[in-house]
Amino acid sequence: MVGLVLTAMLWVSGCSQSPDRFGIAPNSEHRQRLELAQNLASQNRNAEAAEVYRQSAEAATSQKQRVEALYQLGRHELGNDNLTGAEAAFREVVLLSPENSSALIGIGMSRALNDDLKGAEPFLRDAVELRDQAAFSPLGVTLDLQGRHVEAQAIYSQGLELRPGDRELVANLSLSYALGGDYDRAIGLADPLARLIVPGRYKRNYVLILALAGRLAEAQRTASSLEIDAKEVKQIFEVATKLRNGSAAGRLSVLRELTV
């Protein structure tokens, strides 16, 4: 698949949270249970891992421990496309810790990935209000996917005030400009980013933006200079055609095809 930043960012990394934030001793029985769950997950024994996370939450001797176990369960379920289970775990975290912005992002992402964009929005907005830097891109994406590009651009710009030069935000903002028809601004942001040592999706984003602008010959030359192979270029051009000619209602399904 082509893989674009706009949808690829709706991913578990967007609600990451360091275990250190929970203040749990590294050698405690609780930590050992969580490490067991992580080891099971690394072996693709996902149902067993989820059960160990649940047991860890039930056996918790403090609210901090229960919050951590439930949060890690939510991340695990989200990463394995159990969106209902993920949302339920994150909701339990929020009941215990209402200002846990990572769990709010987790609920929003669970809903967005389940195509409930409007339902995702208030949770992501709450996380943005809490100034969680990880919330700006997911919120912008939910707005872009609804065709609300001006609102999305405002969110990305707010995020860049907190994290100047953040590549994900810059890439999402550039694609948002292109989806909204402001190709000059889109290209102005995407071009320098694509020339850096960055993941391939940022480079493909730039080629897509050129294609959306109708600059196909330039897109072809740029793809060659960025070492994007001919098969991917063909896919990008097909996507650009669909996005230009399709209805607003069909844009979500087209962008869904591009998730890495």
Side-chain angles (χ1 to χ4, degrees), residues 16 34-35 39-40 50 56 60 70 74 80 99 106-108 111 114 127 131 161 182 188 215 218-219 229 232 247 257:
S16 61
L34 294 185
E35 289 175 354
N39 288 335
L40 290 168
S56 298
L70 288 168
N80 287 286
E99 293 196 348
I107 296 172
R111 289 193 162 203
N114 209 21
R131 310 300 282 175
E161 291 175 7
D182 192 345
R215 296 161 62 167
E218 184 179 350
D229 64 45
E232 286 189 311
S247 65
E257 297 173 13

Side-chain angles (χ1 to χ4, degrees), residues 88-108:
F90 289 132
R91 279 186 175 277
E92 285 197 63
V93 172
V94 172
L95 285 174
L96 294 168
S97 178
E99 293 196 348
N100 188 307
S101 58
S102 293
L104 290 167
I105 294 170
I107 296 172

Side-chain angles (χ1 to χ4, degrees), residues 6-228:
L6 186 64
T7 48
M9 52 62 53
L10 282 173
W11 182 237
V12 68
S13 62
C15 60
S16 61
Q17 189 168 34
S18 167
D20 295 340
R21 287 183 60 180
F22 294 97
I24 308 299
N27 296 319
S28 66
E29 184 178 344
H30 173 72
R31 176 66 63 219
Q32 291 169 6
R33 282 194 296 267
L34 294 185
E35 289 175 354
L36 171 60
Q38 290 163 3
N39 288 335
L40 290 168
S42 71
Q43 300 169 42
N44 292 320
R45 296 163 65 181
N46 295 316
E48 294 171 78
E51 184 57 32
V52 173
Y53 281 127
R54 292 188 189 95
Q55 291 172 0
S56 298
E58 291 169 5
T61 58
S62 70
Q63 180 169 303
K64 282 185 177 180
Q65 288 185 356
R66 183 168 175 81
V67 164
E68 180 183 27
L70 288 168
Y71 178 77
Q72 297 300 342
L73 172 61
R75 288 191 68 214
H76 174 76
E77 299 286 44
L78 186 60
N80 287 286
D81 294 324
N82 180 2
L83 303 178
T84 301
E87 181 177 343
F90 289 132
R91 279 186 175 277
E92 285 197 63
V93 172
V94 172
L95 285 174
L96 294 168
S97 178
E99 293 196 348
N100 188 307
S101 58
S102 293
L104 290 167
I105 294 170
I107 296 172
M109 292 172 69
S110 300
R111 289 193 162 203
L113 288 166
N114 209 21
D115 291 341
D116 182 9
L117 297 171
K118 288 192 177 298
E121 190 177 330
F123 296 98
L124 295 171
R125 285 195 183 278
D126 284 347
V128 163
E129 288 297 318
L130 292 168
R131 310 300 282 175
D132 190 320
Q133 297 177 8
F136 288 86
S137 268
L139 177 56
V141 167
T142 63
L143 295 169
D144 267 323
L145 291 175
Q146 295 175 69
R148 295 159 61 186
H149 304 305
V150 173
E151 293 175 69
Q153 291 153 22
I155 292 296
Y156 298 135
S157 297
Q158 287 176 33
L160 284 166
E161 291 175 7
L162 292 177
R163 299 171 67 172
D166 181 275
R167 292 176 178 181
E168 181 181 282
L169 288 165
V170 169
N172 279 330
L173 178 57
S174 66
L175 187 52
S176 181
Y177 281 138
L179 292 171
D182 192 345
Y183 301 119
D184 288 341
R185 294 179 78 178
I187 291 167
L189 285 174
D191 185 346
L193 179 60
R195 310 295 177 181
L196 301 175
I197 300 174
V198 290
R201 65 181 183 270
Y202 295 101
K203 300 177 186 296
R204 294 189 290 270
N205 257 26
Y206 180 38
V207 176
L208 176 65
I209 288 167
L210 290 170
L212 285 170
R215 296 161 62 167
L216 299 182
E218 184 179 350
Q220 189 76 57
R221 291 193 302 272
T222 298
S224 177
S225 71
L226 296 175
E227 299 183 339
I228 300 173

